[in-house]
Amino acid sequence: MSLRYLVVSAVALAIVGSAVRAETIKVGVTAGPHAQILEAVKPIAAKNGLDIKIVEFTDYVVPNAALDAGDLQANSFQNQPYLDNQKADRGYKIEAVGLTVNFPIGIYSKKHKSWEAIPQGGTLSIPNDPTNGGRVLLLLQDRGVLKLKQGVGFKPTVADIVENPKKFKIVEVDAAQTARTLDDVDAAAINTNYATQAGLDPVKDALLREDPKGPYTNLIAVRAADKDKPWVKALVSSYQTPEVRDFILTKFKGAVLPAW
């Protein structure tokens, strides 16, 4: 057997071995910043032998259902309180494997230039899911707008309001629809991804904005049965890189913040 044949065979085997090691995964994200960030992760993951196929969703419900059903291998769109609530309600066996970014939720208005200008009895729309609606109520309590029952934790509801001095009318709508209510309400609490899709600047346009520190850091989630697989480590390490951090800070200018 010639030396040249051996060399060619070794190269061929190395190429085949590399192809075998490469793994394709589908990762669910909500449209907007999560999708944009994952696009920046893709070429880094490719160098780590991981081919990411991005699947975009327009709401917060379907990505966990798709992950639990095996239609996705991972998703990147939610925070821990939201995931905990989904697991408790739906029995999903899904686990967080790495932190991603923080999206401080904001309150916006087309009718008023400041929070103080919102009149007595004004109408405020908030997300209708316990986690995002709850964080808005906690934001309002932190700003002295209303008072909640003691011990409500991270998921208070409208029923937990014990003091509402300005008698605000609070309307609960699907999180994806909050930006569309701006023409009809005095103010709307809108998640950052939906705010940016609506052309709002979360840093400049929000009348009130959540403190970025707290439990609402977003995360990568996978099925519990997969959490120790090598591709999970590759996905998380590809995301949590200086290159992705720089992309987030440059692209979103403070509207989205790295959380690792």
Side-chain angles (χ1 to χ4, degrees), residues 56-195:
E56 291 191 24
F57 296 89
T58 57
D59 67 18
Y60 292 153
V61 177
V62 181
N64 278 334
L67 177 58
D68 188 70
D71 297 326
L72 305 171
Q73 280 68 55
N75 65 38
S76 175
F77 79 100
Q78 65 193 317
N79 55 50
Q80 191 68 54
Y82 184 83
L83 175 58
D84 290 343
N85 188 68
Q86 288 261 293
K87 289 168 65 175
D89 286 351
R90 300 167 187 258
Y92 294 148
K93 291 180 172 56
I94 298 172
E95 300 293 337
V97 292
L99 299 179
T100 56
V101 291
N102 222 320
F103 291 79
I105 201 166
I107 297 178
Y108 305 81
S109 177
K110 281 188 176 181
K111 299 179 180 179
H112 310 287
K113 293 185 178 180
S114 70
W115 176 258
E116 292 71 25
I118 297 175
Q120 182 94 358
T123 302
L124 171 65
S125 64
I126 70 172
N128 64 2
D129 64 271
T131 301
N132 289 297
R135 67 194 287 196
V136 175
L137 297 178
L138 290 170
L139 168 60
L140 294 174
Q141 177 170 257
D142 288 343
R143 299 298 189 274
V145 176
L146 50 77
K147 187 174 180 180
L148 302 168
K149 292 178 186 176
Q150 290 188 343
V152 293
F154 295 126
K155 296 188 290 185
T157 68
V158 174
D160 293 319
I161 298 173
V162 294
E163 292 182 19
N164 182 5
K166 293 193 72 171
K167 300 186 181 345
F168 288 128
K169 300 179 182 71
I170 298 178
V171 179
E172 297 175 282
V173 300
D174 184 84
Q177 304 302 317
T178 49
R180 298 182 184 181
T181 67
L182 281 170
D183 290 331
D184 304 314
V185 299
D186 289 285
I190 309 172
N191 291 80
T192 297
N193 57 319
Y194 295 130

